[in-house]
Amino acid sequence: MEKPLSNPPITDSSTLDPPIRVAFADPKLPRHIPAAPVEDDLQAASSRWYSLALRAQSYRVAASFDRLLAPSVLYDRVRPHDYQLRVVEQALREKAPAVILADDVGLGKTIEAGLIYKELALRGIVRSALVLAPKALLSQWQEELREHFDEDFVLTDEKRFRGFEAEQRVICSLPQFVRSFARVNSRTWDMVIVDEAHLLANPASRRRQCASELRSNWRLLLTATPVANRLTDLYSLIDIAVPGRLGTQREFEDEYVADPGTCRVVRPERSAALRGLAREHMCRTRRSDTAIAFAGRTVDTRRIQATPAEDAAISDVTDYLRALYRRAPSGSSKVNRGAVIREIMALQQSLSSSPQAIERSLRLRAEKHPDERGELLSLANRCAEMVSAKESVLLDVIQELGDESVLIFTLRLETAARLRDMIAARGRSAECYVGALNRAERESLVSRFNSGRLQTLIATDAGAEGLNLHERCHIVVNYDLHWNPMRIEQRIGRVHRLGQTRDVRVLNFVLSETIDDYVVRLLYQKINLFTMTVGALETVLSEVQEGEIDLEERILELLLRTDDSATLRNDVDDLGDELVSARERQLAAESLTAEVLR
């Protein structure tokens, strides 16, 4: 992805010279020294006091980070930019154990945080870690940590999650963090990482209060806009990182704020002092400080008219989904309702994907719900007889591209198999990249595609993560649309990454006047979503999330709660206005941050 480091990979840390000095916490020493019972003999008590003295000494000894270990250990997984390495070194050597990572949008604060965590984990300084982030970004964090840092963090909504007291590496949404604070704070975490940390700035909010009280040895606060709305945002973040460092908020305002009413103007004679104060606790890289050059990106959305049979079937299946939604339990049955919503989402994705996908999904549901069997099988039989209008458009596009390598994404296995067979029948090599493949099969497909021996790779979202396919390919087709914008960006990111030498071409296929069409026209195109940087996209998504309800679920709710297409268009348009407002607030926050911190 990024340019390689000058030093070669190191796989055995025991061979490093000079030897690693572990500071802050000796792994062999107990975290808590229990009080000795009266009956303990003097020798046992002395041993405990000796251990405590050694632990205290470990906190006094400064860690030696003269040579970073993580970049070499992770050589095959991530290649940091020089500026990212500088941030990691600065955070560890000068600002530990609490730092605000405030790089401009899109410069990779997640990579920097991961490198800091990994460096401390390799040295035995950090074992337990808690990542707090908006719900829309949780899966992204989990995949980044797994793909780039070989670290398995558990999400709190996974079945394998055993509780905050039992897990060592946890990713949690900000709303759940507040709800579960007593359990989260029942221990001292070695490290806490907070993404979109400006969301904690409001001193009156419960999440800010919880963040201030959270017990941790290391704190990383990530935000591109540490001064999002008011100068006191900066005070809040520094006070969370280093409690008491700036005194009270009133004292901060008296010293630095020129306009107490709006709190957006620094007293001119104190502006240099404020920037110096920020630099004590913050690492900040601006775009102008880097030499990053990405290839361009063009987006072409093909709006395709469904066949009459296809249009009628989509309408009838959608009516069935709406009826299913209205029968879903509410109130105290929140868990059961959530399960129904997930089922409906899966069915809607199949419907957006292809007739083959929705047919299969309807037949599977008929097996589980015999009371609905007649209706479901009738719908499935109609889908079995259909041909999607998108198929002929795709074949035309493939023909136009000639020998160009093409990466096609789809949501469902049935669709992937159908497209593979269609394209292969035209004499063009095509294979499917799906989750069921073993490691050797995946590596073989990637190798053949990158070498040009395979012209067309059709991937489910199993291929949206961890693949570098930019060597020969610069064309991505979203055959069906994912309503989670981060998933779309992950797809495109397989070819639009550092090292790509040609402009990337993105083709989106949607059936006209369907929910997917509305999402593209009224939602995504309003903010130029397909051309936004990942960091900007993350911030906007965190703004429009309603509690635990993310953008994908909000879109589904809009589709299901009305039968009228005009109302649906208006509702999606209103949601698009929310995205526009969030984007405008983000740009204003970036401007204010740049003005204050320069």
Side-chain angles (χ1 to χ4, degrees):
M1 177 177 174
E2 288 86 3
K3 66 179 182 179
L5 300 170
S6 57
N7 53 318
I10 298 174
T11 56
D12 182 3
S13 62
S14 65
T15 64
L16 293 174
D17 184 25
I20 303 167
R21 290 171 55 202
V22 177
F24 289 97
D26 187 326
K28 299 184 288 299
L29 299 180
R31 286 273 173 199
H32 303 285
I33 308 298
V38 175
E39 62 270 17
D40 272 6
D41 57 29
L42 182 59
Q43 182 177 1
S46 297
S47 175
R48 286 185 174 85
W49 280 111
Y50 178 68
S51 295
L52 182 59
L54 283 180
R55 180 167 173 76
Q57 179 63 22
S58 74
Y59 278 94
R60 296 191 194 102
V61 178
S64 173
F65 295 104
D66 294 338
R67 181 182 184 187
L68 296 181
L69 309 179
S72 296
V73 173
L74 300 171
Y75 186 82
D76 292 329
R77 291 179 174 269
V78 61
R79 309 289 175 83
H81 296 289
D82 290 341
Y83 74 84
Q84 291 174 320
L85 291 175
R86 287 196 298 270
V87 166
V88 173
E89 291 168 347
Q90 189 179 28
L92 292 170
R93 296 172 185 171
E94 302 172 19
K95 305 184 188 301
V99 60
I100 301 168
L101 302 181
D103 291 354
D104 279 350
V105 168
L107 296 187
K109 292 181 289 295
T110 305
I111 296 296
E112 294 167 356
L115 285 169
I116 294 169
Y117 161 77
K118 190 70 174 184
E119 187 72 26
L120 295 172
L122 288 170
R123 295 168 182 264
I125 299 171
V126 164
R127 285 178 175 74
S128 62
L130 172 68
V131 176
L132 303 176
K135 185 185 176 186
L137 312 182
L138 301 183
S139 297
Q140 178 81 1
W141 264 98
Q142 185 182 48
E143 178 54 33
E144 288 277 329
L145 288 166
R146 181 186 296 124
E147 175 185 345
H148 295 307
F149 303 101
D150 194 27
E151 294 287 345
D152 182 26
F153 277 65
V154 62
L155 301 176
T156 56
D157 60 357
E158 290 185 273
K159 290 183 179 179
R160 62 183 178 128
F161 177 63
R162 299 170 299 168
F164 291 100
E165 304 86 351
E167 299 289 353
Q168 288 291 82
R169 294 176 294 277
V170 180
I171 301 175
C172 176
S173 72
L174 290 171
Q176 182 168 355
F177 163 63
V178 174
R179 290 198 307 270
S180 308
F181 181 68
R183 284 178 288 149
V184 175
N185 211 35
S186 65
R187 64 190 293 182
T188 298
W189 297 87
D190 292 335
M191 174 173 281
V192 170
I193 302 172
V194 183
D195 196 10
E196 303 295 337
H198 54 272
L199 297 175
L200 305 178
N202 182 359
S205 68
R206 175 62 179 155
R207 65 174 57 163
R208 158 69 190 281
Q209 295 165 9
C210 291
S212 298
E213 297 171 14
L214 185 59
R215 295 187 294 161
S216 63
N217 296 328
W218 286 74
R219 294 189 179 205
L220 302 181
L221 306 181
L222 282 59
T223 175
T225 54
V227 192
N229 296 297
R230 300 161 57 89
L231 293 174
T232 48
D233 295 343
L234 180 61
Y235 168 86
S236 288
L237 293 180
I238 294 177
D239 193 58
I240 292 172
V242 189
R245 170 65 179 84
L246 303 181
T248 67
Q249 181 171 318
R250 179 62 179 272
E251 291 170 339
F252 174 84
E253 291 180 19
D254 289 344
E255 184 167 0
Y256 297 105
V257 176
D259 59 332
T262 58
C263 206
R264 294 174 65 88
V265 179
V266 184
R267 291 173 57 189
E269 72 276 13
R270 300 297 293 156
S271 59
L274 182 59
R275 288 195 295 273
L277 181 66
R279 282 195 291 268
E280 289 181 25
H281 307 285
M282 183 185 298
C283 296
R284 176 168 170 77
T285 306
R286 296 168 298 181
R287 282 192 173 273
S288 58
D289 300 327
T290 74
I292 298 178
F294 278 97
R297 181 187 296 185
T298 60
V299 181
D300 178 11
T301 298
R302 303 289 179 94
R303 292 184 174 84
I304 303 162
Q305 186 62 51
T307 65
E310 190 176 17
D311 186 58
I314 289 173
S315 178
D316 290 345
V317 172
T318 301
D319 286 342
Y320 168 78
L321 296 181
R322 286 176 175 139
L324 186 60
Y325 170 75
R326 289 163 185 156
R327 296 198 303 268
S330 58
S332 59
S333 303
K334 182 177 178 181
V335 174
N336 292 334
R337 182 176 177 80
V340 172
I341 294 298
R342 287 191 293 273
E343 283 186 64
I344 296 174
M345 177 66 76
L347 288 166
Q348 173 59 44
Q349 288 181 338
S350 292
L351 182 61
S352 294
S353 186
S354 69
Q356 293 73 31
I358 187 59
E359 178 202 356
R360 174 65 173 161
S361 295
L362 291 170
R363 294 192 189 283
L364 289 175
R365 183 168 176 81
E367 294 176 4
K368 297 178 181 178
H369 298 272
D371 56 319
E372 301 176 12
R373 180 178 176 83
E375 179 182 11
L376 290 168
L377 290 182
S378 175
L379 289 170
N381 290 336
R382 288 171 59 189
C383 294
E385 298 171 356
M386 291 189 323
V387 174
S388 175
K390 292 192 292 185
E391 290 182 1
S392 60
V393 176
L394 177 65
L395 291 175
D396 289 343
V397 167
I398 292 291
Q399 185 174 357
E400 292 170 10
L401 295 174
D403 294 331
E404 289 275 12
S405 298
V406 181
L407 175 61
I408 302 172
F409 276 104
T410 182
L411 290 164
R412 291 291 179 258
L413 295 171
E414 297 82 8
T415 310
R418 168 80 173 181
L419 299 183
R420 176 198 60 201
D421 295 344
M422 285 173 40
I423 294 170
R426 293 289 187 98
R428 180 184 173 97
S429 58
E431 295 288 350
C432 296
Y433 189 104
V434 298
L437 299 177
N438 61 39
R439 181 175 179 178
E441 290 169 330
R442 293 186 184 205
E443 290 177 351
S444 174
L445 277 181
V446 170
S447 175
R448 289 166 56 205
F449 187 69
N450 283 339
S451 67
R453 290 174 289 155
L454 176 62
Q455 294 171 296
T456 315
L457 189 62
I458 306 157
T460 62
D461 278 345
E465 303 166 344
L467 299 183
N468 296 324
L469 303 176
H470 61 286
E471 293 181 24
R472 295 181 62 91
C473 181
H474 68 111
I475 301 169
V476 178
V477 177
N478 290 310
Y479 187 78
D480 42 35
L481 192 68
H482 207 300
W483 292 352
N484 182 338
M486 290 304 301
R487 301 299 290 178
I488 294 176
E489 183 56 39
Q490 285 177 329
R491 290 175 172 185
I492 300 170
R494 298 312 97 209
V495 302
H496 196 189
R497 53 203 306 113
L498 205 63
Q500 176 61 260
T501 58
R502 294 180 288 178
D503 284 352
V504 171
R505 184 180 179 190
V506 180
L507 291 93
N508 303 312
F509 285 15
V510 295
L511 294 177
S512 296
E513 298 303 316
T514 62
I515 182 64
D516 292 330
D517 187 15
Y518 302 156
V519 166
V520 170
R521 282 195 292 135
L522 305 177
L523 214 62
Y524 294 167
Q525 289 184 352
K526 277 195 170 187
I527 58 170
N528 296 321
L529 177 142
F530 293 102
T531 58
M532 286 174 64
T533 63
V534 173
L537 181 57
E538 289 173 344
T539 300
V540 169
L541 291 180
S542 68
E543 286 259 350
V544 300
Q545 180 175 315
E546 291 184 345
E548 291 291 306
I549 307 301
D550 59 23
L551 182 62
E552 192 174 3
E553 294 173 63
R554 290 189 66 185
I555 294 170
L556 182 66
E557 293 271 0
L558 296 181
L559 170 67
L560 298 177
R561 73 187 185 192
T562 180
D563 297 323
D564 180 67
S565 59
T567 301
L568 176 58
R569 280 196 303 272
N570 290 335
D571 288 345
V572 176
D573 198 21
D574 289 343
L575 182 55
D577 290 340
E578 287 187 45
L579 283 172
V580 170
S581 296
R583 177 63 171 152
E584 290 174 348
R585 287 193 296 272
Q586 179 200 22
L587 293 173
E590 290 176 17
S591 177
L592 181 59
T593 293
E595 179 183 343
V596 172
L597 300 181
R598 295 185 190 175

